[in-house]
Amino acid sequence: PAFLVFLIGTLAFTGILAGSYPAFYISGFEPVGILKGKVKLGGTNYFTRVLLCLQYAISLLAIVSSIAFYQNSIYQREFNLGFNQESVIIAYVENGSEYETYRNAIAQNKDIISVAGAKHSIFSSRYNDPVKVASKQLEVDIIDVGEGYLETMGLTLIEGRDFEKDSETDRKESVIVTKKFAETFGWDKAIGKEVIWHDTVKLYVVGVVKDIYTNGLWREMEPMMIRYGAKENYTHVIVNAPLEKLTEINASMEQAWKQVFPNRLYNGRYLNESMYEAYTVNNNIVKMFVFLGIIAIILSATGLFTLVSLNIIKKMKEIGVRKVLGASVTNITRIINTEFIIVLMVASVLGCALGYLLVDMLMDSIWDYYQNSNVITFIISVLLLFTVSGLTIGYKVISAANMNPVNTLRDE
């Protein structure tokens, strides 16, 4: 109810405010002047031009925002998070024994590319601990994974090697770090570097992978350290499969789950579900600004049509005289449109500037990684604005420019 009262109150206030100007303006006329025909209505003034300029600037603001958020949705959908988020399914088990049982059950599906186990995983679970290199200490994200994890998750090894299967040395003292981890500690060559964990545990870097955006695009990426975990601690079953067969494989995994764990609900999920929220937020904002942009531009086009019509009424005699003196349609069109083109150009500059600031402010409050509005955004927005404006008043202006001057001058 409070919101409805607010909406009705806003509508009433806006209507009264908008109607006050013409009401007070007309009420100031002298009746004698009106009856003698000395009062001429029509045309524009600085006030109406400012209003039209603001109206179009707000319209352009909404258009710029909708296009910018649409471009950002494409940018974020194609953003490389450092791992394969499209064709991975994760299911959760209690321990390493359950992992082996379930892994053997789903391994019969020949369409599965690879299966890996892990205690922690990206977007699923990880812990944060301080590590020390020389005198520098930093808290980093840490995950314990099993053999084949890098390949199954699609992590890209850019230096060094993967963990060796069943290697006790790797379990005790080897780690793989992200590129940001290496850059944070100022390493040009990270392989063989020593990392102190829990003050006494010495770990040595055997590999470097591309940066992994563990927080998605919402927050700044954290440095990450990957350890080789013991198989008895596995709680994740990670499956990599062809994208076109992912739904079928998920269904077969659920069927296998019901056979292996009949008393528990299947908990498998697609990894890209974690990014679904980002896409949803983006798409909803796009829809909102598209709606606002359409409404705003319709109102602006209506206002422009009205002012152009009034301006033509005011200049009827001038147009007639110019036609008699041989003025072309192009010349008369220019006379009618000049002030409105100036208004639209000012509105374009103002709308683009406000759009850039608003889009950057909104995106920065939602994500740490996004694509702000660019030159293409503004070019498309301004072209759309001028196209709609041209279509709105084109017929009216051309009709005025082609009218018979005899009729106009005789009426005058």
Side-chain angles (χ1 to χ4, degrees), residues 2-67:
F3 184 62
L4 291 176
V5 170
F6 169 76
L7 290 179
I8 295 171
T10 302
L11 179 63
F13 174 77
T14 307
I16 292 171
L17 187 65
S20 297
Y21 169 71
F24 284 116
Y25 180 73
I26 294 172
S27 65
F29 291 161
E30 293 293 334
V32 175
I34 297 174
L35 295 173
K36 288 183 177 181
K38 293 181 179 180
V39 177
K40 299 291 184 182
L41 296 177
T44 58
N45 54 37
Y46 287 114
F47 182 63
T48 55
R49 291 167 189 164
V50 169
L51 289 180
L52 183 66
C53 181
L54 290 175
Q55 199 171 24
Y56 263 96
I58 294 170
S59 301
L60 190 61
L61 172 65
I63 295 170
V64 167
S65 300
S66 60
I67 293 175

Side-chain angles (χ1 to χ4, degrees), residues 45-108:
N45 54 37
Y46 287 114
F47 182 63
T48 55
R49 291 167 189 164
V50 169
L51 289 180
L52 183 66
C53 181
L54 290 175
Q55 199 171 24
Y56 263 96
I58 294 170
S59 301
L60 190 61
L61 172 65
I63 295 170
V64 167
S65 300
S66 60
I67 293 175
F69 273 95
Y70 175 72
Q71 290 175 319
N72 181 61
S73 68
I74 297 174
Y75 167 80
Q76 292 188 334
R77 194 174 291 115
E78 297 175 351
F79 194 93
N80 185 0
L81 295 174
F83 57 91
N84 179 4
Q85 57 173 320
E86 295 296 330
S87 55
V88 172
I89 301 172
I90 298 181
Y92 304 93
V93 293
E94 298 293 333
N95 49 53
S97 175
E98 288 190 358
Y99 165 76
E100 284 292 339
T101 303
Y102 186 57
R103 184 188 186 283
N104 293 334
I106 63 176
Q108 300 174 17

Side-chain angles (χ1 to χ4, degrees), residues 10 14 51-52 75 131 182 196 254 261 267 299 307 322 346 363 403:
T10 302
T14 307
L51 289 180
L52 183 66
Y75 167 80
V131 297
I196 305 299
E254 184 174 6
F261 309 114
N267 56 32
L299 293 174
L307 289 181
R322 288 181 178 274
V346 173
M363 289 188 180
M403 67 182 176

Side-chain angles (χ1 to χ4, degrees), residues 155-214:
L155 303 185
T156 304
L157 197 65
I158 56 177
E159 187 180 349
R161 63 173 176 84
D162 196 350
F163 297 119
E164 294 179 355
K165 184 177 180 180
D166 298 328
S167 169
E168 285 301 318
T169 302
D170 277 353
R171 283 200 178 97
K172 291 178 180 178
E173 60 181 42
S174 296
V175 293
I176 295 173
V177 300
T178 59
K179 183 181 178 183
K180 183 169 184 177
F181 186 105
E183 290 174 347
T184 301
F185 287 107
W187 296 337
D188 290 329
K189 296 292 183 181
I191 304 303
K193 296 292 185 181
E194 183 182 82
V195 178
I196 305 299
W197 180 48
H198 287 174
D199 294 328
T200 57
V201 180
K202 292 183 179 181
L203 304 172
Y204 298 93
V205 178
V206 298
V208 180
V209 296
K210 280 187 177 181
D211 285 330
I212 304 168
Y213 292 78
T214 51

Side-chain angles (χ1 to χ4, degrees), residues 299-340:
L299 293 174
S300 299
T302 304
L304 178 62
F305 182 84
T306 303
L307 289 181
V308 168
S309 301
L310 291 173
N311 211 37
I312 290 173
I313 293 172
K314 182 180 179 180
K315 296 183 177 182
M316 289 290 279
K317 187 173 182 179
E318 179 187 347
I319 294 171
V321 171
R322 288 181 178 274
K323 287 282 289 184
V324 170
L325 295 176
S328 65
V329 173
T330 303
N331 181 262
I332 293 174
T333 302
R334 179 181 57 80
I335 293 169
I336 298 173
N337 284 336
T338 298
E339 67 174 284
F340 297 106

Side-chain angles (χ1 to χ4, degrees), residues 232-243:
E232 59 267 20
N233 295 326
Y234 289 176
T235 58
H236 294 62
V237 182
I238 302 163
V239 174
N240 189 324
L243 184 59

